[in-house]
Amino acid sequence: WHIATLSARLTETEAAMERPQQPAHAGQHFAQADALRALAISFVVINHVALLGDLHLFGRGQNLAFLGRWGVNCFFVLSGALLTGQYLAAIIRERRFPSTTTFYLKRFLRIYPLYAVGIFVGAIVELLLHGDFPFAYVAGHLAFAQGFSLAFQDDPINIPLWTMTIDAEFYLALPVIAAVVARMVRGAPHRRKVSVIVAALVLIMVVSILYRYLAFALFPGALESFSLLAIVVRNIVGMAAAFALGTLLALMAELGVRPRLRFGVLASAVGFIAFVGIISVKSSGHALHAKVWADLVAAFSTAAVLYTLSAIRAPRFTAIFDSKAIAVSATLAYGVYLVHAPILRLFSTTFAVRLGTAPRGSVGYCILLGIVCAAITIALAFMLNRYVERPFLRVKSRISNGP
């Protein structure tokens, strides 16, 4: 229904779309994205507390990895939703194409400084635990080599950093793909433009699924090895469906298509049931299909939730989205994501030795570990935001408009 509406909307509102204005709900979309980002980072942290706390609620070898998978795909969906709007506007409205150099510079200022700090936080924890500073690890991760070499995937120094290579690849690919699509549809009717964009997004998702099947066929060890999985499967091609789904949401926002709450609730329910089903299939031994489809289903679930949140108009809920707590959580989310795992690693080792009241692997142990590490991580994220993020964001804000 919504894909058909996109084409119809273009024809019906052609004159309005020629005016350089944003949809009425664009500001609220950002507030809801902040709320979803806060939820996603919470899921990732809970997963790592369970992992490093040796908690197995569903049998040996089964922890809360599905929460981490949902959270990571949420980040990718949000990247697609929030970063592609200016390119969609340029293609559909045939405006001046955004500067690629400016886009790359602003992404660097937003992402890299705090990413580098996260690398060094992990290295310092490694030094405290084992007495050796991992120079090769630091150099490799500063160059995003963890996405291409097992030498940088086989260590637990800072677990979440495997995702940063995918983000960097997306930033590099986005202007190129957008330029190709813009050239294909230049001068075409509005209906054809939106049809080509939707077709391209569907093609990206299909290619991503086929690539994952091929990658597992060529590298069957990726079914068991997370390190190999992160290189040959969970790269920009294998995770492209999440970015495509986010871009589809951005396209709807650009066209002013108002989300329908009932449809969003239904899609969210389908996404939740499908995600639970994937987890069950994985547990029952059908590992290949579960591994291939799990990230796509998780991404669909997060996209459906974001769509549903965008459809909520009740003042009570919008006040929550616009609250200071949500804004602060979103501000600290990136810093928390980058430094929480080394803090957990350091204190899980300390707790394993000194905490006798709650044995390692118990729920009580993980709750205590989570509370202590959350307090330290949030405090560190506050300082990093003030002394690292903000100075670079001020430089970023002085550059021409764009994400």
Side-chain angles (χ1 to χ4, degrees), residues 266-291:
L266 177 62
S268 298
V270 170
F272 174 78
I273 294 171
F275 192 46
V276 172
I278 285 290
I279 297 170
S280 302
V281 167
K282 180 180 177 181
S283 301
S284 64
H286 301 281
L288 174 60
H289 298 297
K291 289 278 191 179

Side-chain angles (χ1 to χ4, degrees), residues 242-374:
F243 296 106
L245 286 168
T247 304
L248 183 61
L249 294 177
L251 178 61
M252 294 174 61
E254 171 61 30
L255 300 180
V257 177
R258 184 170 181 173
R260 298 164 62 94
L261 183 58
R262 290 184 180 179
F263 181 85
V265 171
L266 177 62
S268 298
V270 170
F272 174 78
I273 294 171
F275 192 46
V276 172
I278 285 290
I279 297 170
S280 302
V281 167
K282 180 180 177 181
S283 301
S284 64
H286 301 281
L288 174 60
H289 298 297
K291 289 278 191 179
V292 167
W293 287 93
D295 285 308
L296 175 60
V297 173
F300 173 81
S301 175
T302 64
V305 171
L306 181 56
Y307 175 93
T308 304
L309 293 178
S310 301
I312 296 176
R313 297 289 184 268
R316 182 177 301 179
F317 287 99
T318 56
I320 294 175
F321 298 147
D322 294 329
S323 67
K324 186 175 181 180
I326 293 297
V328 171
S329 298
T331 299
L332 300 180
Y334 185 45
V336 170
Y337 182 75
L338 290 176
V339 302
H340 77 276
I343 301 299
L344 279 170
R345 183 176 176 231
L346 176 64
F347 280 86
S348 65
T349 303
T350 303
F351 270 45
V353 175
R354 299 183 180 180
L355 190 63
T357 57
R360 182 180 179 86
S362 67
V363 173
Y365 172 88
C366 288
I367 291 175
L368 290 173
L369 176 64
I371 291 173
V372 171
C373 292

Side-chain angles (χ1 to χ4, degrees), residues 202-221:
V202 173
L203 178 62
I204 287 172
M205 287 186 272
V206 171
V207 169
S208 180
I209 291 297
L210 295 177
Y211 169 83
R212 290 171 74 96
Y213 272 112
L214 178 62
F216 280 120
L218 295 177
F219 301 93

